[in-house]
Amino acid sequence: MSLSSALSTAQSIFNNTGIQTGVASKNIANAQNANYVRRSAVLTTGGNGSLVVAIERSQNQALYRQTIESSSLYSGQKILLSGLEEVKSLMGGNDYETSPSAIIANLRNNLQTWASKPSETTVGATVISTAVDLANSLNTASDQLQAIRKRADDDIKQGVEELNKLLAQFEIANNRVKQETAVGANPNDALDQRETLLKQIAEIVGVTTLSRENNDLVLYTTEGTVLFETLPRPVTFAPTVAYGATTTGNGVFIDGVAIKAGVGPETSAKGSLQALLQLRDDIVPVYQSQMDEIARGLIMAFAETDQTVVPPAPAILAPGLFTWDVGTIPAANTVEPGLAARIKVNPLVIPPSGNPMLIRDGGINGVTYVVNTTASTGFSDLLNKYDDAFEVRIDFAASTQVGGKLDLQSFAADSIGWLEMLRSTATSATENKLAMLSRATDAYSSETGVSLDEELSLLLDIEQSYKAAAKLMSTVDTMMQALLEAAS
């Protein structure tokens, strides 16, 4: 080896070790950065040793796509479960102690006690108090259910704004990747930034990707709508100011195409938007309809009958203990939207101005509805009739998803069972999807993440290369000195 080739070899080693040290140092500095992909210097053999020809990212597209999809699924499932937990909390939590079903059981117990002691006005007052609690429970539940829908609508608005912002940032990062790839520069930092943005986008809406020339990336929703192609597509949403039982929320549109809501307790939603739409437009409205049907059943159960009507003429019914703002008996087998928010106890029976004994004797709607015409203090037939009415099967609307021919108490219990079934299934699905996301993330991290042990070991190897180059330079220097001395 000539002295000039030895110098070239040493210089090559110094250049390589400098670049390798820089790469390893950057890896170590980003060891805890979940959005950083490990780099490595690619060496090739040259005329005077090795040469660094590229800085590569330890990318694995298959694992990355799996991570993105798992993130979308978990995000949607988590949102759905959070909403179901919020609905459950309205009913009193784990024991559902403030649910209509629980209060109906208390009302029946008090009715039965009063029927055994019909002359006790204090027991009658207790029945009225429990009835007021039941009506208030339905009123509060209805109001809070619509508040949940409004919060979901607000969250959709925020999600759409965030998605549009992320897509704008994605455009900048994607353009930078294309430019640096096209000129043969190092696009690794831009790729990290773009993938970080893609992870955040996937938490809002499910995405699939298509790679084109110069690392250009096209984004589609999982339903096939173009989300980004050179330019971001507009994501639009018109929020609703207030929600009631009859309010229909507006849809979310990507480039004019509506996003579909998720389906089922193990939701098909990918990303938060589909899950929020499912809560706002499906689950909460169905539960609201169940509350409305319970309210209708209560009004029917305590309805008074005009005693002057002689069969076979149809009976004339009027609201008794429970009534509402319209003051009539709601139509059978039909959901009256918002009835749960409008039901109330008739003020004519609420002490001190009202008389609870009108429940025992009849006559809330006038003398023709009086059953205890002798004003007997031991009269309990009507109280027993009201108690039995909780077990009379009536037709509940099929749209409630627990409908059919059921008694009121069973329907109220089935409503709780419906909610608990959804919540339980959603809980298991959330745990499964979190485990799937964790496995995908761990697998991706093991392929692309930074291992401090490996980087420190590599630094030791680089150090040895540097020492070898330094030794070579020292040798060359010694030989040059000897040649100069010989020449002189």
Side-chain angles (χ1 to χ4, degrees):
M1 176 185 292
S2 66
L3 291 180
S4 60
S5 64
L7 284 172
S8 296
T9 299
Q11 184 180 12
S12 176
I13 293 173
F14 284 138
N15 289 339
N16 292 342
T17 55
I19 295 173
Q20 288 176 301
T21 300
V23 172
S25 298
K26 187 170 186 176
N27 287 340
I28 292 171
N30 287 277
Q32 302 303 317
N33 184 355
N35 296 315
Y36 178 83
V37 174
R38 180 181 181 272
R39 275 67 151 159
S40 59
V42 179
L43 298 173
T44 187
T45 302
N48 294 306
S50 298
L51 178 68
V52 175
V53 293
I55 308 298
E56 287 189 348
R57 297 169 79 240
S58 302
Q59 184 59 283
N60 187 314
Q61 288 297 330
L63 287 177
Y64 182 70
R65 285 194 295 269
Q66 186 177 352
T67 302
I68 291 297
E69 183 176 6
S70 299
S71 176
S72 291
L73 288 169
Y74 174 65
S75 176
Q77 191 67 57
K78 181 176 64 173
I79 290 289
L80 183 69
L81 177 60
S82 177
L84 289 169
E85 292 286 4
E86 191 172 1
V87 174
K88 179 180 178 179
S89 70
L90 300 180
M91 301 293 108
N94 290 334
D95 296 328
Y96 293 97
E97 60 268 17
T98 61
S99 67
S101 177
I103 303 177
I104 284 173
N106 291 336
L107 180 60
R108 289 199 68 187
N109 289 335
N110 293 333
L111 269 175
Q112 291 164 3
T113 300
W114 195 12
S116 66
K117 301 175 182 179
S119 62
E120 296 286 342
T121 56
T122 55
V123 180
T126 300
V127 169
I128 300 303
S129 176
T130 307
V132 170
D133 289 342
L134 180 53
N136 289 340
S137 171
L138 289 167
N139 298 159
T140 301
S142 183
D143 292 343
Q144 290 302 315
L145 286 171
Q146 297 311 313
I148 290 173
R149 294 184 72 203
K150 180 62 173 71
R151 286 193 290 275
D153 195 86
D154 292 341
D155 289 343
I156 291 171
K157 176 177 179 290
Q158 293 177 9
V160 168
E161 291 174 350
E162 180 68 13
L163 180 57
N164 281 317
K165 183 177 74 173
L166 289 171
L167 288 172
Q169 294 173 353
F170 187 89
E171 179 187 5
I172 296 171
N174 190 60
N175 287 339
R176 183 181 164 197
V177 169
K178 290 192 297 181
Q179 291 165 3
E180 294 183 353
T181 301
V183 299
N186 184 355
N188 291 334
D189 288 342
L191 285 167
D192 278 354
Q193 182 186 11
R194 190 175 71 175
E195 289 187 1
T196 300
L197 292 168
L198 186 54
K199 289 178 185 177
Q200 295 172 314
I201 291 170
E203 292 180 358
I204 300 174
V205 61
V207 293
T208 60
T209 63
L210 174 65
S211 183
R212 302 194 299 193
E213 186 180 3
N214 291 327
N215 269 330
D216 182 24
L217 208 60
V218 181
L219 304 184
Y220 301 90
T221 69
T222 51
E223 297 170 329
T225 304
V226 176
L227 186 62
F228 177 91
E229 184 177 12
T230 308
L231 296 173
R233 297 300 189 261
V235 185
T236 58
F237 172 70
T240 301
V241 176
Y243 272 86
T246 59
T247 305
T248 300
N250 295 313
V252 178
F253 297 88
I254 297 177
D255 203 19
V257 180
I259 293 178
K260 295 180 181 178
V263 177
E266 187 173 351
T267 181
S268 61
K270 292 184 177 181
S272 59
L273 290 181
Q274 288 186 316
L276 288 167
L277 288 170
Q278 182 181 0
L279 273 174
R280 189 197 68 179
D281 300 337
D282 179 16
I283 290 177
V284 175
V286 168
Y287 198 62
Q288 172 72 60
S289 71
Q290 293 172 13
M291 298 297 102
D292 293 339
E293 282 290 79
I294 290 173
R296 181 175 69 86
L298 286 169
I299 294 172
M300 293 178 62
F302 285 88
E304 288 193 320
T305 304
D306 188 338
Q307 300 299 304
T308 63
V309 176
V310 179
I316 299 176
L317 302 177
L321 173 60
F322 293 99
T323 186
W324 59 311
D325 51 1
V326 176
T328 60
I329 299 296
N333 196 23
T334 303
V335 175
E336 179 65 42
L339 183 57
R342 302 154 71 186
I343 190 173
K344 62 183 179 180
V345 173
N346 197 311
L348 293 176
V349 301
I350 301 177
S353 59
N355 180 14
M357 292 304 173
L358 291 174
I359 301 298
R360 184 195 68 182
D361 301 334
I364 295 174
N365 293 282
V367 294
T368 60
Y369 290 85
V370 174
V371 178
N372 183 19
T373 55
T374 63
S376 170
T377 58
F379 185 77
S380 61
D381 291 357
L382 199 52
L383 296 176
N384 286 323
K385 175 187 173 184
Y386 291 146
D387 178 51
D388 292 340
F390 284 101
E391 297 181 3
V392 174
R393 290 177 176 268
I394 60 175
D395 289 320
F396 289 99
S399 60
T400 62
Q401 298 186 15
V402 291
K405 203 169 187 64
L406 298 167
D407 62 79
L408 177 58
Q409 192 159 19
S410 294
F411 181 84
D414 287 352
S415 174
I416 294 298
W418 177 86
L419 175 60
E420 184 58 24
M421 182 276 293
L422 291 185
R423 192 202 63 80
S424 177
T425 303
T427 298
S428 297
T430 302
E431 293 171 352
N432 293 336
K433 289 178 181 179
L434 175 58
M436 182 172 65
L437 174 60
S438 298
R439 287 195 298 270
T441 302
D442 290 346
Y444 182 69
S445 178
S446 67
E447 288 284 334
T448 64
V450 176
S451 168
L452 286 177
D453 290 341
E454 291 180 6
E455 297 303 320
L456 292 174
S457 176
L458 178 60
L459 282 177
L460 291 176
D461 292 340
I462 295 171
E463 181 184 6
Q464 294 303 315
S465 296
Y466 184 87
K467 286 181 178 179
K471 182 65 174 177
L472 181 58
M473 286 293 293
S474 176
T475 302
V476 170
D477 182 61
T478 301
M479 294 178 69
M480 287 293 292
Q481 290 292 336
L483 284 174
L484 290 172
E485 288 176 0
S488 63

